[in-house]
Tab-separated table of all heavy atoms in Angstrom:
chain	number	residue	atom	x	y	z
A	4	ILE	N	86.575	95.297	121.229
A	4	ILE	CA	86.857	94.152	120.364
A	4	ILE	C	88.085	94.540	119.565
A	4	ILE	O	88.098	95.576	118.896
A	4	ILE	CB	85.683	93.838	119.424
A	4	ILE	CG1	84.470	93.390	120.233
A	4	ILE	CG2	86.089	92.766	118.409
A	4	ILE	CD1	83.213	93.204	119.409
A	5	LEU	N	89.140	93.733	119.643
A	5	LEU	CA	90.387	94.017	118.937
A	5	LEU	C	90.481	93.139	117.693
A	5	LEU	O	90.426	91.921	117.786
A	5	LEU	CB	91.590	93.756	119.855
A	5	LEU	CG	92.961	93.985	119.235
A	5	LEU	CD1	93.168	95.464	118.901
A	5	LEU	CD2	94.055	93.495	120.171
A	6	ASP	N	90.608	93.793	116.540
A	6	ASP	CA	90.802	93.086	115.271
A	6	ASP	C	92.281	93.207	114.920
A	6	ASP	O	92.817	94.313	114.846
A	6	ASP	CB	89.927	93.719	114.191
A	6	ASP	CG	89.987	92.962	112.895
A	6	ASP	OD1	89.813	91.725	112.924
A	6	ASP	OD2	90.207	93.583	111.854
A	7	THR	N	92.939	92.087	114.712
A	7	THR	CA	94.392	92.105	114.597
A	7	THR	C	94.910	91.156	113.523
A	7	THR	O	94.239	90.206	113.143
A	7	THR	CB	95.021	91.750	115.967
A	7	THR	OG1	96.428	91.768	115.864
A	7	THR	CG2	94.582	90.398	116.452
A	8	ASP	N	96.114	91.453	113.060
A	8	ASP	CA	96.870	90.526	112.208
A	8	ASP	C	98.191	90.262	112.923
A	8	ASP	O	99.253	90.615	112.464
A	8	ASP	CB	97.064	91.072	110.786
A	8	ASP	CG	97.782	92.409	110.744
A	8	ASP	OD1	97.925	93.060	111.799
A	8	ASP	OD2	98.210	92.810	109.659
A	9	MET	N	98.069	89.657	114.086
A	9	MET	CA	99.168	89.448	115.027
A	9	MET	C	100.355	88.741	114.382
A	9	MET	O	100.244	87.614	113.927
A	9	MET	CB	98.659	88.613	116.206
A	9	MET	CG	99.673	88.348	117.282
A	9	MET	SD	99.915	89.752	118.349
A	9	MET	CE	98.324	89.865	119.136
A	10	GLY	N	101.486	89.423	114.359
A	10	GLY	CA	102.716	88.821	113.858
A	10	GLY	C	103.796	88.760	114.918
A	10	GLY	O	104.896	88.299	114.664
A	11	MET	N	103.471	89.230	116.122
A	11	MET	CA	104.455	89.282	117.214
A	11	MET	C	105.025	87.888	117.477
A	11	MET	O	104.277	86.937	117.655
A	11	MET	CB	103.790	89.817	118.473
A	11	MET	CG	104.714	90.048	119.619
A	11	MET	SD	103.794	90.864	120.927
A	11	MET	CE	105.109	91.258	122.021
A	12	GLY	N	106.337	87.793	117.477
A	12	GLY	CA	106.994	86.512	117.699
A	12	GLY	C	107.504	85.880	116.421
A	12	GLY	O	108.316	84.971	116.454
A	13	VAL	N	107.033	86.340	115.289
A	13	VAL	CA	107.499	85.845	113.997
A	13	VAL	C	108.680	86.723	113.574
A	13	VAL	O	108.549	87.947	113.540
A	13	VAL	CB	106.374	85.904	112.934
A	13	VAL	CG1	106.896	85.511	111.570
A	13	VAL	CG2	105.200	85.035	113.346
A	14	PRO	N	109.831	86.127	113.284
A	14	PRO	CA	110.994	86.934	112.914
A	14	PRO	C	110.685	87.914	111.781
A	14	PRO	O	110.077	87.557	110.779
A	14	PRO	CB	112.027	85.890	112.474
A	14	PRO	CG	111.625	84.649	113.203
A	14	PRO	CD	110.127	84.698	113.281
A	15	GLY	N	111.075	89.167	111.981
A	15	GLY	CA	110.883	90.204	110.966
A	15	GLY	C	109.547	90.918	111.031
A	15	GLY	O	109.332	91.889	110.316
A	16	MET	N	108.638	90.472	111.871
A	16	MET	CA	107.318	91.102	111.977
A	16	MET	C	107.322	92.172	113.055
A	16	MET	O	108.096	92.132	113.993
A	16	MET	CB	106.238	90.063	112.316
A	16	MET	CG	105.953	89.083	111.221
A	16	MET	SD	105.204	89.881	109.790
A	16	MET	CE	106.419	89.515	108.559
A	17	GLU	N	106.415	93.124	112.928
A	17	GLU	CA	106.285	94.193	113.905
A	17	GLU	C	105.553	93.710	115.149
A	17	GLU	O	104.847	92.700	115.114
A	17	GLU	CB	105.544	95.365	113.272
A	17	GLU	CG	106.306	95.963	112.094
A	17	GLU	CD	105.540	97.081	111.419
A	17	GLU	OE1	104.420	97.415	111.845
A	17	GLU	OE2	106.082	97.618	110.446
A	18	ILE	N	105.704	94.451	116.241
A	18	ILE	CA	105.109	94.046	117.511
A	18	ILE	C	103.891	94.884	117.887
A	18	ILE	O	103.365	94.754	118.984
A	18	ILE	CB	106.145	94.109	118.644
A	18	ILE	CG1	106.624	95.543	118.859
A	18	ILE	CG2	107.307	93.184	118.360
A	18	ILE	CD1	107.403	95.751	120.135
A	19	ASP	N	103.420	95.747	116.988
A	19	ASP	CA	102.366	96.697	117.340
A	19	ASP	C	101.074	96.033	117.815
A	19	ASP	O	100.466	96.479	118.794
A	19	ASP	CB	102.095	97.671	116.196
A	19	ASP	CG	101.735	96.988	114.892
A	19	ASP	OD1	102.170	95.835	114.667
A	19	ASP	OD2	101.026	97.603	114.079
A	20	ASP	N	100.654	94.969	117.163
A	20	ASP	CA	99.400	94.309	117.556
A	20	ASP	C	99.537	93.653	118.937
A	20	ASP	O	98.623	93.726	119.758
A	20	ASP	CB	98.979	93.269	116.519
A	20	ASP	CG	98.604	93.905	115.199
A	20	ASP	OD1	97.579	94.588	115.158
A	20	ASP	OD2	99.350	93.731	114.227
A	21	GLY	N	100.663	93.015	119.170
A	21	GLY	CA	100.898	92.389	120.472
A	21	GLY	C	100.978	93.411	121.582
A	21	GLY	O	100.446	93.207	122.683
A	22	PHE	N	101.617	94.540	121.297
A	22	PHE	CA	101.725	95.601	122.286
A	22	PHE	C	100.345	96.180	122.595
A	22	PHE	O	100.008	96.429	123.760
A	22	PHE	CB	102.677	96.671	121.774
A	22	PHE	CG	103.087	97.669	122.806
A	22	PHE	CD1	103.766	97.283	123.953
A	22	PHE	CD2	102.800	99.009	122.632
A	22	PHE	CE1	104.149	98.207	124.910
A	22	PHE	CE2	103.178	99.950	123.576
A	22	PHE	CZ	103.851	99.546	124.722
A	23	ALA	N	99.534	96.390	121.564
A	23	ALA	CA	98.177	96.902	121.770
A	23	ALA	C	97.357	95.933	122.618
A	23	ALA	O	96.628	96.353	123.532
A	23	ALA	CB	97.493	97.136	120.427
A	24	LEU	N	97.482	94.652	122.345
A	24	LEU	CA	96.759	93.642	123.120
A	24	LEU	C	97.204	93.664	124.576
A	24	LEU	O	96.370	93.645	125.495
A	24	LEU	CB	96.970	92.252	122.506
A	24	LEU	CG	96.294	91.086	123.209
A	24	LEU	CD1	94.793	91.278	123.301
A	24	LEU	CD2	96.625	89.792	122.493
A	25	ALA	N	98.502	93.729	124.816
A	25	ALA	CA	99.023	93.762	126.186
A	25	ALA	C	98.544	95.009	126.931
A	25	ALA	O	98.176	94.933	128.113
A	25	ALA	CB	100.547	93.695	126.171
Side-chain angles (χ1 to χ4, degrees):
I4 295 174
L5 179 66
D6 185 50
T7 180
D8 58 347
M9 182 78 66
M11 186 173 189
V13 175
M16 291 293 119
E17 297 177 0
I18 63 167
D19 56 332
D20 293 292
F22 192 61
L24 179 58

